[in-house]
Amino acid sequence: MRTRCIFLFILATIVFASCGDQSNSNANLEQIQASIDAYNCSDGRHLVVETFDDEDYGFREVDLGLSVKWASCNLGTDKAEESGPYIAWGELKTKKDYNANNSTTFSYSLAELKSKKVIDKKENLLKNYDIATQTLGEGWRLPTKEEAEELIKKCEWTWMIKNGTKGYKVIGPNRKYIFIPAKGYYYEQQIYDADDSGNYWTSSAYDNRNFSMGLTFTKRSFAINSSGRSGGRCIRPVYTK
């Protein structure tokens, strides 16, 4: 019995340690996921894979009991399991090739972004450079870094398969939920980590000429981190009216 207890303790220690040491395949691709500012290592309840299929379609705002309402689907879709368009940070159109050379915000400092009226005093995208506002109208926009952090900290995240698509069911304090699919990201002309990770822009710039803040998750973790602005990410808008 004593030997079995020691074995279980060692096994638990190994599992706990491995959870906090996540490698990132984006590291050699313009360091899209570099410089992690916040990290949340999920516990066992988030690793339970459940399946749910429903016909609850339609793009709308969902009140999760947070400071802003979150969209039920990604921008450009009416089904929660679909990716929608991949957009580079601060841009308004999709591209065939996502790279530093054709990025409109890559290499600009915070001061330069403010001078060019790309971001406001709080270092968030102004509406002329916010794809959600430009597509959906007033009241809709990209979430800020703080609003994405609130989604992580105040909601229950459970890894799910919805209508065949992997992602997280995110349940708010009021028990209403949204599903956020793991649809990877675009770099140059290729999608990476589809079905393994979710990569979503916030409106918040980062104190580095090449990076801005995004929400990133895998089956084992979710975090707010800095990512290369030229990469194409999915968009999950918020509603503030």
Side-chain angles (χ1 to χ4, degrees):
M1 181 68 179
R2 177 180 173 82
T3 302
R4 182 172 181 270
C5 290
I6 293 173
F7 172 76
L8 290 175
F9 173 78
I10 294 172
L11 179 60
T13 303
I14 293 172
V15 171
F16 178 80
S18 66
C19 188
D21 184 21
Q22 299 296 318
S23 62
N24 199 310
S25 62
N26 298 358
N28 295 324
L29 297 174
E30 200 186 323
Q31 295 182 336
I32 292 178
Q33 304 298 345
S35 185
I36 294 178
D37 291 335
Y39 186 85
N40 289 277
C41 187
S42 58
D43 58 33
R45 71 191 172 103
H46 298 122
L47 299 180
V48 177
V49 178
E50 300 181 32
T51 301
F52 74 108
D53 300 326
D54 62 42
E55 302 300 325
D56 187 20
Y57 297 147
F59 185 95
R60 65 189 184 284
E61 68 270 18
V62 179
D63 183 359
L64 298 174
L66 304 175
S67 61
V68 293
K69 297 177 181 178
W70 285 78
S72 59
C73 308
N74 287 354
L75 182 70
T77 73
D78 62 0
K79 297 179 181 179
E81 61 269 26
E82 294 181 349
S83 67
Y86 294 81
I87 303 293
W89 190 80
E91 299 188 12
L92 305 178
K93 296 180 180 179
T94 58
K95 297 184 288 190
K96 292 182 179 180
D97 193 337
Y98 293 81
N99 61 68
N101 293 328
N102 64 23
S103 169
T104 61
T105 62
F106 199 81
S107 80
Y108 289 119
S109 66
L110 294 178
E112 289 171 325
L113 290 174
K114 290 176 183 177
S115 175
K116 294 177 178 292
K117 300 188 184 304
V118 175
I119 59 175
D120 59 22
K121 293 180 179 179
K122 294 183 179 180
E123 300 174 356
N124 296 315
L125 286 170
L126 289 165
K127 62 181 181 180
N128 287 343
Y129 292 88
D130 189 312
I131 180 67
T133 304
Q134 293 302 308
T135 303
L136 302 171
E138 292 293 333
W140 290 100
R141 58 174 173 78
L142 270 71
T144 64
K145 171 180 174 285
E146 292 75 18
E147 290 160 352
E149 287 174 340
E150 180 186 44
L151 188 72
I152 287 178
K153 293 176 180 178
K154 293 187 178 181
C155 294
E156 177 184 325
W157 289 60
T158 304
W159 187 255
M160 293 274 188
I161 300 176
K162 182 181 188 300
N163 297 330
T165 298
K166 297 176 183 177
Y168 273 104
K169 184 178 184 180
V170 182
I171 304 174
N174 62 6
R175 307 310 296 172
K176 293 183 179 179
Y177 72 87
I178 57 175
F179 178 78
I180 309 181
K183 289 295 185 177
Y185 64 93
Y186 246 106
Y187 180 73
E188 294 184 340
Q189 300 181 30
Q190 185 173 342
I191 295 179
Y192 291 87
D193 292 348
D195 218 31
D196 291 322
S197 74
N199 300 268
Y200 291 79
W201 282 125
T202 75
S203 66
S204 302
Y206 180 64
D207 191 15
N208 177 299
R209 288 177 175 271
N210 303 329
F211 295 82
S212 288
M213 303 306 297
L215 166 65
T216 301
F217 60 78
T218 67
K219 181 180 178 181
R220 299 188 65 85
S221 67
F222 29 89
I224 307 301
N225 58 18
S226 57
S227 298
R229 294 174 189 160
S230 63
R233 285 184 167 223
C234 296
I235 304 296
R236 180 57 67 100
V238 296
Y239 187 75
T240 57
K241 277 190 176 181

